[in-house]
Short mmCIF file of all heavy atoms in Angstrom, two decimals:
data_model
loop_
_atom_site.label_atom_id
_atom_site.label_comp_id
_atom_site.label_asym_id
_atom_site.label_seq_id
_atom_site.Cartn_x
_atom_site.Cartn_y
_atom_site.Cartn_z
N TYR A 91 -14.86 8.26 18.73
CA TYR A 91 -15.77 7.28 19.35
C TYR A 91 -16.23 7.80 20.72
O TYR A 91 -17.42 7.74 21.04
CB TYR A 91 -15.03 5.94 19.50
CG TYR A 91 -15.77 4.95 20.37
CD1 TYR A 91 -16.76 4.14 19.82
CD2 TYR A 91 -15.48 4.84 21.73
CE1 TYR A 91 -17.46 3.26 20.62
CE2 TYR A 91 -16.18 3.95 22.53
CZ TYR A 91 -17.16 3.16 21.97
OH TYR A 91 -17.86 2.29 22.77
N LYS A 92 -15.29 8.32 21.52
CA LYS A 92 -15.64 8.72 22.90
C LYS A 92 -16.62 9.88 22.94
O LYS A 92 -17.49 9.93 23.81
CB LYS A 92 -14.37 9.10 23.68
CG LYS A 92 -13.76 7.92 24.39
CD LYS A 92 -12.84 8.32 25.54
CE LYS A 92 -12.55 7.11 26.40
NZ LYS A 92 -11.47 7.35 27.37
N ASN A 95 -20.04 8.21 21.63
CA ASN A 95 -20.63 7.14 22.44
C ASN A 95 -21.27 7.67 23.72
O ASN A 95 -22.21 7.08 24.23
CB ASN A 95 -19.53 6.12 22.78
CG ASN A 95 -20.11 4.83 23.28
OD1 ASN A 95 -20.97 4.26 22.61
ND2 ASN A 95 -19.69 4.38 24.43
N GLY A 99 -25.66 5.17 21.52
CA GLY A 99 -25.02 4.07 20.79
C GLY A 99 -25.01 4.27 19.29
O GLY A 99 -24.07 3.88 18.62
N LEU A 102 -22.44 7.61 16.61
CA LEU A 102 -21.24 7.55 15.77
C LEU A 102 -21.62 7.21 14.32
O LEU A 102 -21.21 7.92 13.38
CB LEU A 102 -20.23 6.54 16.33
CG LEU A 102 -18.98 6.29 15.49
CD1 LEU A 102 -18.18 7.57 15.25
CD2 LEU A 102 -18.09 5.23 16.16
N ALA A 118 -13.63 7.23 11.88
CA ALA A 118 -13.84 7.10 13.32
C ALA A 118 -12.48 6.99 14.01
O ALA A 118 -11.56 6.37 13.47
CB ALA A 118 -14.68 5.86 13.62
N VAL A 119 -12.39 7.62 15.19
CA VAL A 119 -11.11 7.70 15.92
C VAL A 119 -11.24 7.02 17.28
O VAL A 119 -12.22 7.26 18.00
CB VAL A 119 -10.73 9.18 16.19
CG1 VAL A 119 -9.30 9.29 16.74
CG2 VAL A 119 -10.89 10.04 14.94
N VAL A 120 -10.24 6.22 17.64
CA VAL A 120 -10.21 5.65 18.99
C VAL A 120 -9.00 6.16 19.76
O VAL A 120 -7.88 6.19 19.25
CB VAL A 120 -10.21 4.10 19.02
CG1 VAL A 120 -11.60 3.55 18.74
CG2 VAL A 120 -9.18 3.50 18.08
N ASP A 123 -6.96 4.24 25.02
CA ASP A 123 -7.60 3.31 25.97
C ASP A 123 -8.92 2.74 25.46
O ASP A 123 -9.63 2.08 26.22
CB ASP A 123 -7.82 4.01 27.32
CG ASP A 123 -8.73 5.22 27.21
OD1 ASP A 123 -9.04 5.65 26.08
OD2 ASP A 123 -9.13 5.75 28.27
N VAL A 124 -9.25 2.98 24.20
CA VAL A 124 -10.48 2.40 23.64
C VAL A 124 -10.11 1.23 22.73
O VAL A 124 -9.36 1.41 21.77
CB VAL A 124 -11.27 3.46 22.83
CG1 VAL A 124 -12.50 2.82 22.18
CG2 VAL A 124 -11.68 4.63 23.70
N PRO A 125 -10.64 0.03 23.04
CA PRO A 125 -10.34 -1.11 22.15
C PRO A 125 -10.84 -0.83 20.74
O PRO A 125 -11.94 -0.28 20.57
CB PRO A 125 -11.12 -2.27 22.78
CG PRO A 125 -11.42 -1.85 24.19
CD PRO A 125 -11.51 -0.35 24.16
N VAL A 126 -10.05 -1.20 19.76
CA VAL A 126 -10.44 -0.91 18.37
C VAL A 126 -11.69 -1.70 17.99
O VAL A 126 -12.46 -1.29 17.11
CB VAL A 126 -9.25 -1.17 17.40
CG1 VAL A 126 -8.92 -2.65 17.27
CG2 VAL A 126 -9.55 -0.58 16.01
N GLU A 127 -11.95 -2.79 18.70
CA GLU A 127 -13.16 -3.59 18.44
C GLU A 127 -14.42 -2.73 18.60
O GLU A 127 -15.44 -3.01 17.97
CB GLU A 127 -13.25 -4.77 19.41
CG GLU A 127 -12.26 -5.90 19.15
CD GLU A 127 -10.88 -5.66 19.73
OE1 GLU A 127 -10.58 -4.53 20.20
OE2 GLU A 127 -10.08 -6.61 19.71
N HIS A 128 -14.34 -1.69 19.45
CA HIS A 128 -15.53 -0.84 19.65
C HIS A 128 -15.98 -0.15 18.37
O HIS A 128 -17.14 0.23 18.25
CB HIS A 128 -15.25 0.24 20.72
CG HIS A 128 -15.22 -0.29 22.13
ND1 HIS A 128 -15.09 -1.62 22.42
CD2 HIS A 128 -15.30 0.35 23.32
CE1 HIS A 128 -15.09 -1.79 23.74
NE2 HIS A 128 -15.21 -0.61 24.31
N ILE A 129 -15.05 0.05 17.42
CA ILE A 129 -15.47 0.71 16.17
C ILE A 129 -15.58 -0.28 15.00
O ILE A 129 -15.87 0.13 13.88
CB ILE A 129 -14.59 1.92 15.79
CG1 ILE A 129 -13.12 1.54 15.63
CG2 ILE A 129 -14.78 3.07 16.79
CD1 ILE A 129 -12.28 2.63 14.95
N PHE A 130 -15.39 -1.57 15.25
CA PHE A 130 -15.57 -2.56 14.17
C PHE A 130 -16.94 -2.41 13.50
O PHE A 130 -17.03 -2.48 12.27
CB PHE A 130 -15.38 -4.00 14.68
CG PHE A 130 -13.94 -4.44 14.83
CD1 PHE A 130 -13.65 -5.73 15.31
CD2 PHE A 130 -12.88 -3.62 14.48
CE1 PHE A 130 -12.34 -6.16 15.44
CE2 PHE A 130 -11.56 -4.05 14.61
CZ PHE A 130 -11.29 -5.33 15.09
N PRO A 131 -18.02 -2.18 14.28
CA PRO A 131 -19.33 -2.09 13.62
C PRO A 131 -19.43 -0.96 12.59
O PRO A 131 -20.26 -1.04 11.68
CB PRO A 131 -20.31 -1.84 14.78
CG PRO A 131 -19.61 -2.38 15.99
CD PRO A 131 -18.16 -2.12 15.75
N VAL A 132 -18.61 0.09 12.73
CA VAL A 132 -18.70 1.19 11.75
C VAL A 132 -17.61 1.12 10.67
O VAL A 132 -17.57 1.99 9.80
CB VAL A 132 -18.71 2.59 12.43
CG1 VAL A 132 -19.93 2.76 13.31
CG2 VAL A 132 -17.42 2.87 13.18
N PHE A 133 -16.75 0.10 10.71
CA PHE A 133 -15.73 0.00 9.65
C PHE A 133 -16.35 0.07 8.26
O PHE A 133 -15.80 0.74 7.37
CB PHE A 133 -14.91 -1.31 9.79
CG PHE A 133 -13.63 -1.19 10.59
CD1 PHE A 133 -13.60 -0.49 11.79
CD2 PHE A 133 -12.45 -1.79 10.15
CE1 PHE A 133 -12.42 -0.41 12.54
CE2 PHE A 133 -11.27 -1.70 10.88
CZ PHE A 133 -11.25 -1.02 12.07
#
Side-chain angles (χ1 to χ4, degrees):
Y91 169 84
K92 270 200 166 169
N95 195 53
L102 175 59
V119 189
V120 283
D123 61 349
V124 176
V126 70
E127 287 83 350
H128 286 17
I129 58 167
F130 280 179
V132 297
F133 267 44

